[in-house]
Amino acid sequence: MRHEFPEGFLWGAATAAYQIEGAVDQDGRAPANWDVFARLPGRTRNGESGMVACDHYNRYREDVALMKQIGLKAYRFSIAWPRVLPEGSGTVNERGLDFYNRLVDELLENGIKPVATCFHWDMPYSLEKKHNGWTSRDLADVFAEYCGLLAERLGDRVKMWATINEPEVVLHAGHKAGVHAPGLKLGPQEYRQASHHLLLAHGKALQAMRDSGPSDLRIGIVHNSASVSPLTESEEDISAARQEFYRRNAWIVEPLLKGTYPQELWKEEEPDVPEVRDGDLELIGAPIDFFGINVYFSGLCVSKRYGAREYEEWFPRTQMTWPITPDALYWTVRFNSELFRDCDMYITENGCACPDQVKDINGEAVVEDYARVQFLREYLKGVHRATEEGLPLRGYFVWSLMDNFEWAGGYKYRFGIVHVNYETLERTLKESGKYYSRIIANNGF
Ligand code: FCB
């Protein structure tokens, strides 16, 4: 069966500044929270950091040429706060900002739509330290100033924006488990309070961007969905899965898409609930233009008969040990629109890690990542089903354009459709990159 996608479906690839740019000392960039975090003993694999990464900062032209070769319609990247505002706020570092001017111009000259994320986890270290991460309400205002500046200075050319990448991961990994910067382990009430501040930061940023950018910006946020799939497609199983999906996502998604906190969950967590001031929820729930969803797998498989079971028990896994559950994208988009809001959605990240290696085949460098080809093909069937059923899913971004620094996991986990040799920094288009390229050219497979 041929899978045909709607006209104008946005095919892209995603990256994040700290994971690819390197060049940490160049052009007035301030030390980032992750520079410091990675130096603490035992926090990242072998103490690896983004110090050099893919050196994208100096090789962006070559990387945009690769994007063009693949045929990408859009490129999702993030902006490094420590380059643009080394002190977090106040004086603009023009040399740092200029990198994004050049990148955006290069993308546009090559017919690729820039999609920018303001905060994909790196911020000036001094700022994070001063505020003790998102435990501080004031950080929301500082963030809004930064985002307003980006909209003002880049909004003439960058029309699609996400304020924050994955609030839930910033919170859980950074403020509860302590495995990401700032490495905090907050108690339950402080945790919910930090969560509220981060959502408020989004709300304030949204307003600042609308105020200082041009009127045609499309602004949203990116959520890593805790996905849940039904075991069968019986009405009972679907409704059991939907309920579980709600419980796992509502603390973040309900305020963003409906402007309310989930009543039932709120009662269950009392007294460990956040202090919410007048007007906060109006800001947080102000209309966004799209909702970005990052999905790698369904964590739970639910049925009326068996209840909720960890998917890991039943399914093969990728190098990250994440289970391969191709129906995750479909159910996530569907439950999201049924439970929260039927707004435009994009899969802003999806992909898999494999231990890829470059082979010399008759003098040609080849990466035979057929497991990723298979992964993409199966997952994209779910994307296709969502569009066929008329769900408002408008695009798909593969994670990632190229292999990169996988946070605490260091350089072991290769997610790219382009291979990066970390010694020579040479790039090689993988077989999955060629496959993706054909999907884009045919708008289907
Ligand atoms: C997501 C992050 C992204 C990358 C992928 C594998 O949670 O947004 O930066 O690390 O996971």
Side-chain angles (χ1 to χ4, degrees):
M1 176 192 150
R2 182 170 152 76
H3 300 79
E4 178 87 36
F5 286 81
E7 215 188 299
F9 192 77
L10 196 63
W11 295 104
T15 63
Y18 191 77
Q19 296 179 276
I20 63 165
E21 285 181 1
V24 294
D25 295 324
Q26 245 172 282
D27 297 336
R29 174 189 180 275
N33 53 347
W34 268 91
D35 297 341
V36 177
F37 187 73
R39 275 202 298 269
L40 301 173
R43 295 312 178 97
T44 63
R45 197 186 141 75
N46 304 325
E48 288 159 359
S49 77
M51 205 148 51
V52 178
C54 311
D55 193 33
H56 169 75
Y57 190 80
N58 295 304
R59 291 164 200 253
Y60 72 94
R61 279 214 170 81
E62 182 190 338
D63 293 334
V64 174
L66 269 166
M67 295 178 212
K68 181 161 188 185
Q69 186 191 334
I70 297 167
L72 295 184
K73 307 277 183 219
Y75 173 51
R76 173 175 177 243
F77 61 99
S78 81
I79 292 173
W81 193 348
R83 289 194 195 283
V84 176
L85 290 168
E87 280 148 48
S89 63
T91 315
V92 179
N93 174 32
E94 295 296 340
R95 286 183 300 162
L97 183 60
D98 206 44
F99 168 68
Y100 300 102
N101 277 318
R102 296 196 303 273
L103 172 63
V104 165
D105 290 344
E106 189 75 15
L107 289 167
L108 292 173
E109 271 164 35
N110 286 283
I112 300 163
K113 181 187 170 100
V115 179
T117 303
C118 303
F119 177 60
H120 196 130
W121 309 353
D122 52 338
M123 71 165 81
Y125 173 67
S126 60
L127 188 70
E128 187 184 81
K129 189 165 176 225
K130 175 172 167 203
H131 290 274
N132 197 24
W134 294 97
T135 62
S136 146
R137 187 179 163 100
D138 294 341
L139 190 52
D141 294 299
V142 184
F143 180 63
E145 179 196 324
Y146 160 62
C147 295
L149 171 80
L150 296 182
E152 186 191 322
R153 300 288 288 275
L154 295 166
D156 57 332
R157 288 153 294 149
V158 181
K159 298 300 177 188
M160 192 168 164
W161 291 87
T163 53
I164 296 170
N165 181 68
E166 302 189 343
E168 180 83 31
V169 173
V170 174
L171 294 162
H172 195 275
H175 295 71
K176 192 184 218 161
V179 296
H180 280 187
L184 302 178
K185 293 184 176 168
L186 301 177
Q189 197 283 331
E190 292 170 287
Y191 180 76
R192 282 286 166 229
Q193 195 62 52
S195 172
H196 183 67
H197 296 154
L198 189 55
L199 296 180
L200 186 63
H202 156 80
K204 291 193 170 196
L206 183 64
Q207 189 178 51
M209 294 177 86
R210 299 247 193 256
D211 287 349
S212 42
S215 59
D216 60 349
L217 299 187
R218 294 184 68 220
I219 310 172
I221 185 167
V222 169
H223 169 63
N224 58 299
S225 197
S227 298
V228 177
S229 302
L231 180 63
T232 74
E233 297 209 358
S234 71
E235 258 323 303
E236 288 130 332
D237 283 6
I238 293 174
S239 110
R242 191 189 291 114
Q243 223 175 318
E244 191 59 40
F245 181 89
Y246 179 78
R247 292 187 65 81
R248 294 196 153 208
N249 291 278
W251 271 106
I252 299 287
V253 187
E254 188 169 317
L256 289 170
L257 294 186
K258 295 175 102 173
T260 48
Y261 272 117
Q263 279 310 303
E264 223 175 281
L265 302 183
W266 182 279
K267 279 195 211 110
E268 286 174 25
E269 285 202 20
E270 257 162 356
D272 298 324
V273 290
E275 184 217 330
V276 178
R277 298 195 192 157
D278 277 355
D280 285 359
L281 282 165
E282 283 73 16
L283 283 169
I284 295 170
I288 48 178
D289 304 303
F290 73 92
F291 191 58
I293 302 174
N294 293 352
V295 188
Y296 290 85
F297 59 89
S298 274
L300 285 180
C301 189
V302 177
S303 70
K304 184 161 181 269
R305 179 133 173 229
Y306 301 111
R309 294 280 277 268
E310 297 291 328
Y311 241 117
E312 273 107 323
E313 292 175 24
W314 299 350
F315 283 77
R317 309 184 198 191
T318 67
Q319 192 193 12
M320 287 293 272
T321 75
W322 295 349
I324 302 173
T325 61
D327 62 355
L329 299 180
Y330 168 74
W331 289 108
T332 301
V333 172
R334 175 163 157 187
F335 288 157
N336 214 73
S337 78
E338 288 174 350
L339 286 166
F340 300 112
R341 201 195 291 169
D342 200 22
C343 57
D344 276 5
M345 283 180 256
Y346 292 83
I347 301 296
T348 33
E349 283 179 30
N350 169 246
C352 64
C354 309
D356 302 317
Q357 282 175 352
V358 182
K359 277 192 200 156
D360 183 319
I361 300 185
N362 303 327
E364 202 196 325
V366 179
V367 181
E368 296 181 303
D369 61 335
Y370 297 120
R372 182 174 292 104
V373 170
Q374 175 79 0
F375 180 100
L376 290 177
R377 187 180 160 76
E378 293 307 316
Y379 272 64
L380 283 172
K381 286 181 187 168
V383 174
H384 179 257
R385 179 174 175 193
T387 61
E388 280 293 287
E389 292 182 13
L391 291 164
L393 180 58
R394 309 294 181 213
Y396 172 91
F397 292 73
V398 67
W399 183 273
S400 174
L401 173 68
M402 55 185 149
D403 296 338
N404 58 49
F405 174 68
E406 179 45 36
W407 309 110
Y411 291 98
K412 179 177 174 187
Y413 303 101
R414 293 180 176 274
F415 273 93
I417 56 171
V418 172
H419 181 277
V420 177
N421 176 323
Y422 294 120
E423 265 144 44
T424 62
L425 296 171
E426 198 178 332
R427 278 78 161 136
T428 308
L429 187 62
K430 301 181 189 177
E431 290 305 298
S432 61
K434 297 177 194 165
Y435 178 69
Y436 193 49
S437 172
R438 280 207 300 281
I439 294 179
I440 299 174
N442 298 324
N443 198 31
F445 59 94

